[in-house]
Amino acid sequence: MSTDGKFGDYGGQYVPEALMPAIEELEDAYERYVLGNEDGFMDEFRTRLREFGGRPTPLQRADRLSDRYDREVYLKREDLVHGGAHKLNNALGQVLLAKYMGKDRIIAETGAGQHGTATAMACAHLDMPCEIYMGKRDINRQRPNVFRMKLNGAEVNPVTVGRGTLKEAISETMRDWATNVEDTHYVIGSVVGPHPFPSMVRDFQSVISEEARTQAREKMGRLPDSVLACAGGGSNTMGAFAEFVDDDETALYAVEAGGSTLDVDEDAGVAPNSASLTTGSEGILHGARTTILQDHDGQIMESHSISSGLDYAGVGPELAYLVDTGRVTAVNVGDDDALTAFHRLSQMEGIIPALETAHAFGYLERVAGPDATGEHDGLGEFVVVNVSGRGDKDLESAIEETYERDIDIAPNMDEFTGGL
Amino acid sequence: MSLEDAFADGPAFIPYLAAGDPDYESSLEYVEALERGGADIIELGLPFSEPIAEGPTIQNAVVRSLEGGMTPTRFFEFVEDLDVSVPLVCMTYYNLIYRYGDDHGPRPFVEKAASVGIEGFVVPDLPAEESGPLREACDEFGLDLVFIVAPTTRGERLERMMEQVSGYVYVQARLGTTGAQTDVSDQTGASLDRLAGYDVPKAVGFGISSGEHAQRIVRSGADGIIVGSALVDIVAQGHEAGDDSETVADRLETLARELKDGAVAGASQRPPHPERT
């Protein structure tokens, strides 16, 4: 694994000069505390992940899915991490690191609100003041998470520029950081941004694959044939893949949001998907060279997904690199199939997944479900799906989206409400 | 005329406007008004959709310009259509430079910029560590590469940057993003002191909005002043009020002259400096 900030040609540090000293300071702290365990940082991180975060999460056999797909399907239950998603692994790590660095203020951005709530929880737990930037549109889509952040004592700053989603919120948080760089740490929520963020966030999240690897040996007596994880920026993806990257026998599938279509309207500056790995191209966004959704001039396009957590125009540089080298296979699942999978997992396993996570299950259905041709089935006998988060936060939009679409397995609420 | 030459006859006044803000034709008039007001170099913004180093004023200008259809190709036409004789610097973000043309990399953009008469670049998201390919292309086509020195820049980073810089150094007066301020930070003096040993003109920007500011900055040792947001504010206010472009251009010219006069006054009040004589 790279620690110099470059993954092939990807990665790097493309940030305003005013941020460079903070980036260098963070790089130094990353090397000392995270890689070097100075002052027992990693020991404390692991203890807090266990006691506050509720780790390890189970690797659970999904009995009915295993029957449906005629193979062994195991679920890595990151939805059971405190707060309901893998996001806490990273937020806790970074807020703790900021404390070790002597910073006294935390800022973060959030899309779906999962990273924002995780950061707010970690800040409350570690007694740090916290401000979260969130797009106005996302605030409207994710009200329960906004309330949760405020419950934990964080300030939530609405971002109104542009379309008011994650992309704009990241730019706004970078501006705050450039202004208050001396006392403030910016907790980036995914494996994106300038070095050392992509490596550091991967390291904090790699606890997922570290546990999964050990648990697979215990439960299956072997490593899985494949690991599936949804990919927006790519933090749960890299977390689920990191410790398997050197295991050539395990195939790795990054499932992106195919949105409503993979066709891109360059003139309108809109990509009706968030599939950067599939439909994007190389460029520089938010501090790193990576794969991004952009028009022919290099302007960043607005992305789309039914899941606001995947709705981002870029992806982590390491993930882009692993796809280029062929180690990771990038696939995508559209809004309708993700929503159907959301209902299916809820009904068959009693797990309401985040809409992000539902994309990974949508892919499983496509290649291994009853309607699959078997043609693209490279998943093998033992499959691990990373359940990156739970779907409670998505209920409002799931209700709305379900009734806008014709999802045949969706529950019928008409008998109770006389229609919605 | 090269960028460095623009500093030969006293302090340089370097205004910034986003090209195409709020529309192509008015923007041409506005940039030309800056020259009438005494600009020695003009920084022309080529708008990028994610301007992470900019404050709200310039960010909004970027949005207006992009909505008006500004693209790199249009930008080069804009430069050709401009009737100004002072050197022009293109200020933009690296992705636009990197993506221009068929082969990815900065060379096609630099070649095109040189052909329309651009003299140099300021690229706020390209630190010295990543700027090798752009520096190389600039050398090939004879363009300058201006770097921004922040109040936090020192030591090895400063050295590395000063090895690559040409034309002038953009001294960031305070931390944060661009935007007009009512006060000019005393971080400027410290930054100028750190740069005293380097033989390249030092132009101070971020927060300068009046002739009095300009005077103070030049008196404290700056070789030039860079002003963006205060001028962009005039464009924005004129646009919102529906004023005709001639009126807005007059206002720009008036503020430009005030800033230039302030800079000149500041130079005459400068205490004799041993290194400058």
Side-chain angles (χ1 to χ4, degrees):
Chain A
M1 284 181 201
S2 163
T3 54
D4 67 356
K6 294 283 163 108
F7 307 98
D9 287 337
Y10 297 127
Q13 298 173 318
Y14 296 85
V15 291
E17 177 55 31
L19 288 180
M20 283 305 292
I23 299 269
E24 287 188 328
E25 188 188 347
L26 185 62
E27 214 176 319
D28 178 58
Y30 166 59
E31 281 166 20
R32 283 166 47 204
Y33 296 120
V34 181
L35 301 181
N37 193 27
E38 193 173 308
D39 299 338
F41 170 83
M42 284 305 283
D43 303 327
E44 179 174 354
F45 171 56
R46 292 299 170 110
T47 303
R48 288 182 188 273
L49 265 187
R50 206 165 51 237
E51 296 180 357
F52 177 68
R55 301 209 70 97
T57 60
L59 182 70
Q60 177 217 334
R61 184 177 188 276
D63 295 340
R64 292 184 64 195
L65 290 188
S66 294
D67 285 349
R68 181 178 180 89
Y69 300 123
D70 194 23
R71 66 195 73 204
E72 295 293 306
V73 177
Y74 282 83
L75 310 178
K76 182 58 179 162
R77 297 291 307 277
E78 290 302 292
D79 59 316
L80 295 179
V81 176
H82 176 48
H86 72 289
K87 292 288 185 185
L88 183 72
N89 304 331
N90 168 51
L92 192 62
Q94 285 198 48
V95 176
L96 188 64
L97 186 65
K99 267 195 116 74
Y100 274 63
M101 290 169 73
K103 301 283 176 183
D104 50 26
R105 174 175 176 261
I106 292 292
I107 55 173
E109 91 300 314
T110 195
Q114 284 302 86
H115 173 57
T117 53
T119 305
M121 284 183 327
C123 284
H125 173 65
L126 292 163
D127 189 22
M128 282 279 250
C130 177
E131 282 182 51
I132 308 287
Y133 289 89
M134 187 169 184
K136 192 80 202 317
R137 189 181 142 97
D138 285 335
I139 287 179
N140 294 333
R141 290 202 278 188
Q142 300 285 346
R143 287 193 316 147
N145 270 340
V146 177
F147 192 64
R148 288 209 290 170
M149 286 179 246
K150 291 176 82 82
L151 277 175
N152 284 133
E155 270 182 53
V156 179
N157 303 323
V159 177
T160 52
V161 283
R163 209 170 55 110
T165 58
L166 180 59
K167 172 167 81 71
E168 290 82 11
I170 292 180
S171 297
E172 200 60 34
T173 318
M174 285 206 166
R175 289 191 190 96
D176 180 319
W177 200 25
T179 311
N180 302 295
V181 66
E182 278 156 343
D183 66 348
T184 299
H185 176 69
Y186 172 13
V187 180
I188 288 187
S190 192
V191 287
V192 301
H195 176 68
F197 283 105
S199 299
M200 183 174 72
V201 176
R202 172 205 63 207
D203 291 350
F204 288 142
Q205 291 292 359
S206 63
V207 64
I208 301 172
S209 46
E210 189 185 300
E211 287 174 7
R213 216 168 164 278
T214 310
Q215 291 164 327
R217 286 198 191 282
E218 285 165 11
K219 294 192 177 240
M220 313 171 195
R222 50 170 290 192
L223 292 179
D225 293 312
S226 58
V227 179
L228 271 64
C230 63
S235 73
N236 93 85
T237 333
M238 280 312 305
F241 292 176
E243 298 294 324
F244 289 109
V245 166
D246 293 333
D247 299 323
D248 291 336
E249 67 268 42
T250 302
L252 305 173
Y253 287 87
V255 187
E256 293 195 287
S260 50
T261 168
L262 289 180
D263 294 334
V264 169
D265 184 352
E266 276 209 13
D267 292 332
V270 175
N273 59 68
S274 305
S276 321
L277 292 167
T278 315
T279 67
S281 54
E282 187 197 350
I284 293 106
L285 175 64
H286 293 141
R289 177 178 300 202
T290 183
T291 301
I292 57 183
L293 298 173
Q294 57 186 329
D295 67 14
H296 50 261
D297 289 327
Q299 303 289 2
I300 309 307
M301 289 199 282
E302 299 291 352
S303 54
H304 160 80
S305 168
I306 192 175
S307 155
S308 39
L310 299 181
D311 195 349
Y312 179 56
V315 67
E318 184 172 14
L319 194 51
Y321 171 72
L322 290 173
V323 168
D324 272 9
T325 60
R327 180 65 189 95
V328 170
T329 305
V331 296
N332 58 79
V333 163
D335 289 342
D336 287 353
D337 288 347
L339 191 59
T340 305
F342 170 88
H343 286 288
R344 185 179 300 110
L345 192 71
S346 302
Q347 288 169 21
M348 295 188 68
E349 294 291 341
I351 296 168
I352 301 172
L355 282 170
E356 290 86 338
T357 308
H359 285 74
F361 288 98
Y363 184 70
L364 189 57
E365 175 73 11
R366 186 198 302 163
V367 298
D371 295 333
T373 59
E375 193 184 343
H376 299 292
D377 184 356
L379 301 182
E381 177 63 20
F382 286 87
V383 181
V384 170
V385 184
N386 192 33
V387 184
S388 57
R390 61 181 158 97
D392 305 48
K393 68 178 175 74
D394 291 320
L395 288 185
E396 269 189 61
S397 51
I399 292 170
E400 205 177 292
E401 298 284 352
T402 297
Y403 282 89
E404 271 176 22
R405 293 153 205 266
D406 190 18
I407 307 290
D408 54 3
I409 61 170
N412 183 354
M413 297 285 282
D414 291 349
E415 58 181 304
F416 308 117
T417 61
L420 277 175
Chain B
M1 181 162 76
S2 82
L3 293 183
E4 202 151 345
D5 292 344
F7 292 83
D9 303 324
F13 165 50
I14 310 172
Y16 163 98
L17 282 179
D21 171 30
D23 62 75
Y24 191 92
E25 292 300 328
S26 316
S27 186
L28 284 172
E29 281 183 56
Y30 298 164
V31 176
E32 287 162 8
L34 298 176
E35 185 179 40
R36 288 197 300 278
D40 298 293
I41 294 170
I42 295 172
E43 286 185 1
L44 263 190
L46 163 58
F48 177 52
S49 56
E50 316 302 316
I52 54 174
E54 317 294 351
T57 303
I58 292 178
Q59 196 188 2
N60 287 330
V62 164
V63 171
R64 285 192 296 270
S65 172
L66 286 173
E67 281 174 355
M70 185 49 73
T71 64
T73 305
R74 282 293 271 166
F75 177 82
F76 291 129
E77 287 165 14
F78 185 91
V79 172
E80 285 182 313
D81 287 344
L82 268 179
D83 184 16
V84 296
S85 55
V86 297
L88 297 171
V89 169
C90 168
M91 183 156 181
T92 194
Y93 286 76
Y94 193 52
N95 199 45
L96 297 191
I97 295 176
Y98 182 75
R99 291 290 301 189
Y100 188 81
D102 295 329
D103 302 321
H104 296 163
R107 194 177 178 280
F109 189 94
V110 176
E111 183 176 19
K112 179 67 185 176
S115 78
V116 298
I118 295 279
E119 294 287 348
F121 297 106
V122 182
V123 190
D125 66 340
L126 189 69
E129 288 78 359
E130 310 281 2
S131 65
L134 180 59
R135 178 70 265 179
E136 216 170 279
C138 284
D139 287 344
E140 183 182 348
F141 294 102
L143 271 68
D144 287 317
L145 184 54
V146 174
F147 281 94
I148 300 174
V149 172
T152 43
T153 310
R154 34 180 73 81
E156 269 177 48
R157 299 222 63 259
L158 186 62
E159 290 287 330
R160 211 175 300 150
M161 194 182 289
M162 297 313 281
E163 277 167 20
Q164 298 207 37
V165 75
S166 65
Y168 56 94
V169 185
Y170 188 141
V171 182
Q172 184 178 330
R174 55 172 170 75
L175 281 176
T177 53
T178 54
Q181 300 275 306
T182 48
D183 190 24
V184 176
S185 166
D186 56 17
Q187 290 173 322
T188 312
S191 294
L192 288 171
D193 286 348
R194 270 203 307 284
L195 291 168
Y198 297 99
D199 185 24
V200 60
K202 291 107 193 156
V204 173
F206 274 50
I208 300 172
S209 62
S210 70
E212 195 267 324
H213 283 162
Q215 192 176 340
R216 207 143 33 99
I217 292 281
V218 173
R219 195 166 48 206
S220 68
D223 301 306
I225 52 155
I226 302 169
V227 181
S229 295
L231 296 161
V232 173
D233 272 336
I234 291 177
V235 174
Q237 283 157 13
H239 178 62
E240 274 156 35
D243 297 334
D244 62 65
S245 57
E246 206 176 318
T247 310
V248 177
D250 284 347
R251 288 179 199 143
L252 287 167
E253 185 181 334
T254 303
L255 179 58
R257 186 160 298 120
E258 181 196 321
L259 291 159
K260 170 73 180 179
D261 289 349
V264 171
S268 69
Q269 297 159 341
R270 204 145 49 186
H273 195 295
E275 278 173 18
R276 287 174 199 282
T277 50

